[in-house]
Amino acid sequence: TAELVQGDDGYELVLTDAELPTGTAGADLALWLISTDAAGAITDVQPVSLVDPASPGTYAVPAELDPDTYTVVDISIEPRDGDEQHSGHSILRGPLEEV
């Protein structure tokens, strides 16, 4: 699950019960926020943080991102190739829940 929690210093994404792959040689796991239009088409993809597969945990949402505009959370495998864009290799994706 991924929950959006508002704290004193802004918003955080809390990941729980995630079964993430370990040992992705030459790659990292990355956490993203995604916005969609009314038809479900992706309109924006923004990076949040790299994810530790052994301990998913809590990740600060960058202050410049308005969490109200993002409805999907995504974890992807990102090769260490210098490209900061989403690789297109999502391993988990689902609705973002605000608590």
Side-chain angles (χ1 to χ4, degrees), residues 12 14 16 22 32 34 44 50 54 57 65-66 72 75 77:
E12 298 177 325
V14 180
T16 56
T22 57
W32 304 83
I34 299 174
D44 190 27
L50 294 180
L65 298 182
D66 177 4
V72 176
I75 296 176
I77 296 176

Side-chain angles (χ1 to χ4, degrees), residues 18-96:
E19 293 183 24
L20 302 174
T22 57
T24 51
D28 295 304
L29 298 183
L31 178 63
W32 304 83
L33 287 176
I34 299 174
S35 63
T36 59
D37 63 17
I42 294 174
T43 58
D44 190 27
V45 179
Q46 292 294 322
V48 175
S49 179
L50 294 180
V51 175
D52 178 356
S55 177
T58 301
Y59 300 90
V61 174
E64 65 272 12
L65 298 182
D66 177 4
D68 291 334
T69 62
Y70 298 92
T71 57
V72 176
V73 65
D74 177 281
I75 296 176
S76 65
I77 296 176
E78 297 297 323
R80 295 182 193 129
D81 58 5
D83 184 354
E84 296 182 10
Q85 300 300 311
H86 193 292
S87 67
H89 189 168
S90 296
I91 58 170
L92 291 173
R93 183 178 283 187
L96 181 61

